[in-house]
Amino acid sequence: MQFEFCREVPVGGAMLAVDVYRPDGPGPFPTILVRTPYHRTGSLGAARPFVERGYAFVIEDCRGKYDSGGEFRPLRDEAEDGRATLDWVAEQRWCNGRIGMWGRSYLGIVQVPAASGGHEALRCMAPSVAPGSFFRDWVRYDGCFALGNAGRWALTHASSRTQPPLQHFTWDELCGLASPEEIAARVGFPTPALVEWAEHDAYDSYWEEIDQTRMHAQIAVPGLHAGGWFDHLTRGQFEAYGNIRDRGGSELARTGQRLLIGPWGHTNTGNRGGEHCRYGEWDFGPAADFPLLEHELDFMDLYLREMDNGFADRPPVELFLIGANRWVGLDDWPPPGGETQRWYLDSSGGANMRSGRLDRVIPERSAADSYAYDPGNPVPTRGGQIYWGLQYAGPASQFPVVNRSDVVYYRSCALERPLAAIGEVELELTITSDAEDTDFIARLCVEESSGTITCLNTGSLRCRYRNSWSEPEPLKPGELTAIKLRLGQIGCRFPAGSRIGLMITSSDFPRILPHPNSMAPTWREKKPVVARNAVLHGPATPSCLSLPVVDLD
């Protein structure tokens, strides 16, 4: 293996640092490009599998990070810098003019912007665990400010050129502070990205310019989109696959998208061994230990070396079916031939473990399940697709929270036969609130025959965005209002004897910054109020869970 340390790439008035790993011999070689804000040094382990396969491997510090010049502006310079770096790589004597991009998390985020320029040398990309719309999927979750993710990432990776000191405070401590200014005072350094993200409190030109869903129509290359059912960014993989398949910039792109989702979270998607088989409180068995990197290498071989190791014959969508603990190949997403089952919420009022029901028919009587949401006493985050740095990620028992007075719970009868849910889950609610704005949070659960209630999916909505991300509008206190929550994608087999469970509340801390129940911008309300929120159901005010069901028998 040959190695060149800290070459400099001229990009937009700055010099960006790259390391180059190459196979022995003169080349030229097909090349893999990786761009990272997490420091390119120490990447021999990541480079080796590619170099041993016959690829040159180039890894670059993003603008303003570590040894690269310029200023780091998270998400904002990745299109220009990625395209310029592709230019530089394609001109090197050791590159044969065929480039693929690869990487996870932010290393996946940089790929779509670079690819949207249509560079002739870029032949494929493999972004994994990467979001698409940062207003909906990263800094906010459908409008709810993503405190656990945005705060921790901004401080750790967007506050200085290198990683700042982090040992003198705890994340729990910071999550309880009242503003970015208080956070900066406590940690001892400014938090410019966090301030900027909070200030842009609606979908404006700031978010529009970096929204990757708007770039998908310009993507002209095949893509392999990998993620985990329990990653907080998984929706990005499904949207990228579907959008480029439907309106990509070339026939090759439209027919060349692949999707692979395993029973993983953000940080173990690319692992191997026992850690790849367990997440949260569940063990998914040996089939979960999927050789993802080898799969990605086979994908690169097909498009960069014109070598097919059987990859072309694999189904375009491969999913791990939780509960059955096996892989399922599909011709497309959503699965062709599935049906949407509507499960209607019902209760005699005050839904809880004893009275809240999910039924297949609209209830004959109307009722309301109300609760007081106090921003000073939020429901703790527990389970589902949550930021990897938080506790109780993935499948997690809901017993510590399900009986709280500010949580309502609905469950189906025990299932007579297994039910395979594969697709996107949505929740339509009729609600009222005495506040001008509030949040609604839902957790889709499986209630096992033993009585254990485990969270599978989470969904959120800040009510001001119910009709538009860009034009927030207040609630009218006490007025019936229809809202829709997206609970994400699912691939789960509910066993016979289990129940479908649904929790609804208005807080999820520290995943989401507690809403003060006003229209004030993020962190700017000094006098939060308690909101009286209600979920209504009945013939005139239906609320229902839409569950995608596929017959796999």
Side-chain angles (χ1 to χ4, degrees), residues 29 49 62 122 143 160 193 202 277 299 359 379 386 392 457 466 520 532:
F29 309 102
C62 289
L122 183 65
S160 64
C277 303
F299 168 77
D359 294 319
V379 175
I386 65 175
Y392 308 114
N457 287 53
R466 64 195 179 278
R532 192 75 190 179

Side-chain angles (χ1 to χ4, degrees), residues 304-322:
L304 297 181
R305 303 173 69 195
E306 297 182 351
M307 294 174 55
D308 186 4
N309 298 313
F311 189 92
D313 294 329
R314 301 182 73 116
V317 178
E318 296 181 77
L319 310 172
F320 189 89
L321 185 61
I322 295 168

Side-chain angles (χ1 to χ4, degrees), residues 281 380-384 386 391-392 396-398 400-401 443 455 508:
E281 297 174 2
T381 296
R382 195 173 183 94
I386 65 175
Q391 284 187 308
Y392 308 114
S397 170
Q398 299 303 294
V401 297
R443 301 178 187 175
C455 179
D508 192 357

Side-chain angles (χ1 to χ4, degrees), residues 338-349:
E339 69 161 312
T340 299
Q341 287 190 0
R342 295 171 70 85
W343 291 81
Y344 292 91
L345 282 60
D346 191 12
S347 79
S348 55

Side-chain angles (χ1 to χ4, degrees), residues 171-189:
W171 296 111
D172 286 346
E173 175 188 5
L174 297 191
C175 286
L177 297 180
S179 68
E181 292 78 14
E182 287 191 17
I183 292 173
R186 176 64 187 89
V187 300
F189 51 84

Side-chain angles (χ1 to χ4, degrees), residues 344-403:
Y344 292 91
L345 282 60
D346 191 12
S347 79
S348 55
N352 54 34
M353 287 289 293
R354 292 171 297 279
S355 66
R357 295 182 300 280
L358 291 173
D359 294 319
R360 294 297 310 282
V361 296
I362 298 175
E364 295 180 352
R365 64 185 185 280
S366 297
D369 301 315
S370 64
Y371 58 89
Y373 157 51
D374 181 357
N377 182 29
V379 175
T381 296
R382 195 173 183 94
Q385 301 97 335
I386 65 175
Y387 176 60
W388 64 269
L390 303 180
Q391 284 187 308
Y392 308 114
S397 170
Q398 299 303 294
F399 278 152
V401 297
V402 72
N403 286 314

Side-chain angles (χ1 to χ4, degrees), residues 210 389 488 543:
I210 58 175
S543 292

Side-chain angles (χ1 to χ4, degrees), residues 9-95:
V9 179
V11 175
M15 301 299 288
L16 306 189
V18 302
D19 289 346
V20 180
Y21 301 81
R22 292 184 281 122
D24 293 327
F29 309 102
T31 302
I32 306 299
L33 172 61
V34 177
R35 306 189 61 249
T36 178
Y38 306 132
H39 206 186
R40 76 196 188 288
T41 61
S43 297
L44 176 60
R48 187 180 298 279
F50 292 94
V51 175
E52 291 177 347
R53 197 82 159 223
Y55 295 101
F57 185 90
V58 177
I59 184 164
E60 175 181 68
D61 286 335
C62 289
R63 174 186 295 266
K65 293 299 294 183
Y66 293 92
D67 297 313
S68 285
E71 176 189 357
F72 182 54
R73 302 189 306 163
L75 312 171
R76 306 198 63 76
D77 295 308
E78 307 312 344
E80 178 184 354
D81 291 358
R83 296 168 190 175
T85 303
L86 285 168
D87 280 339
W88 182 86
V89 172
E91 293 169 357
Q92 303 308 301
R93 57 177 176 77
W94 38 259
C95 176

